[in-house]
Amino acid sequence: MHTHRSVLPATLLSAVAVAMSAVPGCGDDETRARTGSDFLSTYAKALCDRTFACCDAATRAAHGLDASSADACASELEAILVAVSDGGNVKGTFVPEKAEACLAEVDAAPCAEIEIVGVLLGVNATSTPSCRDAWDGSVPEGGTCSTNWDCVRDRCVYTSDASGQATSACRARGAVGEQCSSKFDCEEALRCDQPSPPDAGMCAPRLAMGGSCKGSLDCQEELRCGEDGTCQAREQAGGPCASDDDCAAGTACDGAECTPLGAAGAPCSADSDCASFTCGEATGTCADVCKES
């Protein structure tokens, strides 16, 4: 029986959040990002063009993208981005240089880093660092926002009450030394150091090999928290495990053994069974990752 990590890619959420905050615009000549008024359509086009260049029809379909062409994809994606970004009304100052760099980064993104959930497309944020800075947001911490780009710092967080009423606020992830109540309050490369939970802790660097830990989220990405309470290397395929946290990237805990995630065509019952993080609903097999054609 598998024990699964969350498989909704943070990178995709980041990319969608960036797109949602973009009011953007571009042209097709030397400078595509002259103003913020047309960046949204050009950003959608860049994502769809790169996806169609990298991913064949079978791979796109397996990931739920059924648009017949890159132009049709761009039209659908733009409509979604306009809707979720309050009609493209980003609260901040458009930064043309960053927007232009963002588009160039999307154009050159490695095919394997493209992520598809239907017509929602994303690229690993590490490959597109300029995209998050295409707007200099003006909403302070705690202020109401529509997208990440509205915020002076970091991210727009949505919450719902018991009646389903949604509210939003700019809420930054903590830097080193800032207060936290969980790892998710801190920047991605950090942990929440809480000597006396539930008392608030402080964001701190994740621990290296041999560091004293309470859980695997305390340790650096490639490490786990061992039974002796110290950060250790994750087990490779064939090694013993109690959960996916014990296993190296590209493997999962199946029963008590780390096993490779499914390649394209392997049978699956959940996205987390697959190396591509996509289990085709119609086929019950793992979809392929996108590759340069």
Side-chain angles (χ1 to χ4, degrees):
M1 178 177 178
H2 281 292
T3 53
H4 296 301
R5 300 186 186 97
S6 172
V7 297
L8 186 59
T11 56
L12 177 59
L13 293 178
S14 298
V16 170
V18 164
M20 289 172 16
S21 359
V23 154
C26 319
D28 287 68
D29 44 13
E30 298 172 358
T31 302
R32 294 182 288 172
R34 297 181 185 279
T35 68
S37 61
D38 61 347
F39 176 69
L40 194 57
S41 62
T42 309
Y43 182 71
K45 177 172 171 51
L47 282 171
C48 289
D49 284 350
R50 188 62 181 148
T51 299
F52 272 68
C54 285
C55 312
D56 62 23
T59 301
R60 296 195 306 269
H63 289 260
L65 177 59
D66 57 8
S68 60
S69 67
D71 286 345
C73 166
S75 179
E76 290 182 48
L77 181 56
E78 180 186 358
I80 292 171
L81 301 182
V82 168
V84 298
S85 62
D86 192 24
N89 294 314
V90 176
K91 301 177 180 73
T93 302
F94 182 63
V95 184
E97 298 82 4
K98 290 292 186 181
E100 186 65 25
C102 163
L103 296 173
E105 290 162 1
V106 171
D107 292 344
C111 291
E113 295 190 2
I114 290 174
E115 295 167 332
I116 307 171
V117 178
V119 78
L120 289 179
L121 308 179
V123 178
N124 191 315
T126 60
S127 296
T128 55
S130 299
C131 292
R132 66 194 112 185
D133 296 324
W135 286 85
D136 185 7
S138 62
V139 179
E141 190 84 352
T144 301
C145 51
S146 296
T147 66
N148 289 355
W149 282 3
D150 288 336
C151 301
V152 170
R153 182 181 165 199
D154 205 8
R155 59 180 178 157
C156 182
V157 177
Y158 281 82
T159 57
S160 298
D161 60 21
S163 68
Q165 182 67 39
T167 57
S168 67
C170 288
R171 181 177 160 196
R173 290 184 183 274
V176 171
E178 293 187 326
Q179 195 172 81
C180 58
S181 58
S182 80
K183 181 267 182 295
F184 303 102
D185 292 333
C186 302
E187 292 175 355
E188 191 167 346
L190 303 179
R191 63 190 171 97
C192 185
D193 185 14
Q194 288 178 280
S196 303
D199 293 346
M202 294 290 180
C203 294
R206 295 176 76 170
L207 300 167
M209 182 80 78
S212 179
C213 54
K214 296 177 182 177
S216 292
L217 290 177
D218 289 339
C219 303
Q220 293 174 355
E221 182 68 26
E222 71 278 8
L223 304 177
R224 64 182 174 113
C225 189
E227 292 181 2
D228 64 353
T230 63
C231 293
Q232 303 173 1
R234 294 179 185 267
E235 295 286 347
Q236 300 299 314
C241 60
S243 74
D244 284 357
D245 285 340
D246 294 330
C247 300
T251 65
C253 189
D254 188 0
E257 182 177 309
C258 294
T259 58
L261 293 173
C268 57
S269 58
D271 289 344
S272 53
D273 293 333
C274 304
S276 64
F277 293 104
T278 300
C279 179
E281 291 184 8
T283 62
T285 60
C286 293
D288 202 355
V289 295
C290 293
K291 304 183 180 77
E292 195 79 61
S293 58

